[in-house]
Amino acid sequence: LANALHIPKSMIRVAKPRIGGGFGAKQTSVCEVYPAFVTWKTKKPSKIIFSRYESQIASTPRHEMEMHVRLGATKDGIVRGIDLYTLSNTGAYGEHGPTTVGLSGHKSIPLYAKAEAFRFTYDVVYTNMQAAGAYRGYGATQGIFAVESAADELAHKMGMDPVKFRELNMPMEGEALPGYPDVPINGSCTMDKCLARAKEMIGWDEKYPFRDMGNGKVRGVGIAMAMQGS
């Protein structure tokens, strides 16, 4: 605000109540300068309230990404090669453009921890659209969706249960992740137990690949892995 209004920081007081999780949405100043300017000029309190429509066109949305994924696996289902390319639309300004695109690869490729060859490339482009910013998942969401979709397609082509496919490839406690050979996974990672519990709760073995509901409809099940944190 001091930079935008060309005033000393000593003229600004920030009172931040506890408002719960921001998940990245509070990392960029979008509209704060406007009520600050009004208050500065009128010496009276002011606030800005977005309608839902305004929040869609004038706040920072998620980065739109187009992703291309190639996976290569052995006959027994072990993924040995991953090639990931991300094209990210950052809108009119850079904001979080360079950082969100990184997580589209850093949080998705290591899910297949036995990969021996992996490549992650990307382009970030400016467009005449609202600038994209930090948003829940921060780029990892887009990358994981793309890689997990490709993993499902590969498992299907191999005739393998997608849960079994992930059990063969997931990172395990004490192992290192692709791209991070000197950083073993610490004791907080028990993805194998998590997946086993999810499979049990879903009733996977009884429902996969689908159940015929007997009324012209079928009900399917799906599975996906994700990772977040350090």
Side-chain angles (χ1 to χ4, degrees):
L1 290 176
N3 290 336
L5 299 175
H6 301 287
I7 60 176
K9 293 178 182 178
S10 59
M11 290 181 63
I12 299 174
R13 184 172 70 91
V14 177
K16 191 199 80 66
R18 185 168 181 82
I19 56 173
F23 301 103
K26 312 301 186 292
Q27 288 182 236
T28 303
S29 293
V30 178
C31 60
E32 291 82 351
V33 66
Y34 301 115
F37 184 76
V38 171
T39 294
W40 181 34
K41 290 300 183 182
T42 65
K43 303 299 186 287
K44 295 181 179 179
S46 66
K47 67 169 65 174
I48 186 168
I49 301 175
F50 278 8
S51 68
R52 182 163 180 82
Y53 174 74
E54 288 168 332
S55 73
Q56 296 295 316
I57 66 170
S59 63
T60 49
R62 187 186 297 279
H63 286 77
E64 177 187 30
M65 294 183 183
E66 177 180 307
M67 312 193 69
H68 298 261
V69 187
R70 291 196 300 171
L71 299 177
T74 60
K75 292 182 179 180
D76 54 356
I78 305 298
V79 174
R80 295 301 190 191
I82 304 175
D83 189 2
L84 177 62
Y85 168 73
T86 301
L87 176 64
S88 179
N89 178 4
T90 195
Y93 298 95
E95 296 293 348
H96 296 265
T99 45
T100 51
V101 74
L103 267 67
S104 71
H106 298 323
K107 299 293 185 182
S108 59
I109 291 175
L111 288 170
Y112 294 84
K114 296 178 174 61
E116 296 173 344
F118 44 89
R119 180 173 62 179
F120 172 45
T121 55
Y122 59 81
D123 289 302
V124 178
V125 295
Y126 289 110
T127 60
N128 190 26
M129 296 177 65
Q130 176 67 23
Y135 210 81
R136 295 179 181 182
Y138 203 78
T141 311
Q142 295 92 309
I144 289 172
F145 176 80
V147 170
E148 286 297 270
S149 297
D152 266 0
E153 292 180 22
L154 180 55
H156 178 72
K157 288 184 177 180
M158 299 181 72
M160 183 176 289
D161 184 316
V163 171
K164 178 64 176 178
F165 184 78
R166 287 167 172 83
E167 288 173 342
L168 292 171
N169 288 284
M170 68 172 62
M172 301 293 286
E173 188 176 332
E175 297 178 349
L177 298 176
Y180 305 93
D182 300 323
V183 186
I185 303 169
N186 62 22
S188 66
C189 176
T190 54
M191 189 175 282
D192 53 335
K193 295 179 182 178
C194 176
L195 190 61
R197 179 67 176 136
K199 181 180 179 182
E200 176 187 340
M201 293 176 70
I202 292 171
W204 182 269
D205 291 334
E206 297 79 45
K207 297 177 181 177
Y208 176 77
F210 62 85
R211 287 188 298 171
D212 189 338
M213 305 306 293
N215 56 359
K217 297 179 180 179
V218 295
R219 183 173 295 169
V221 288
I223 196 79
M225 295 191 298
M227 64 180 293
Q228 183 63 324
S230 52

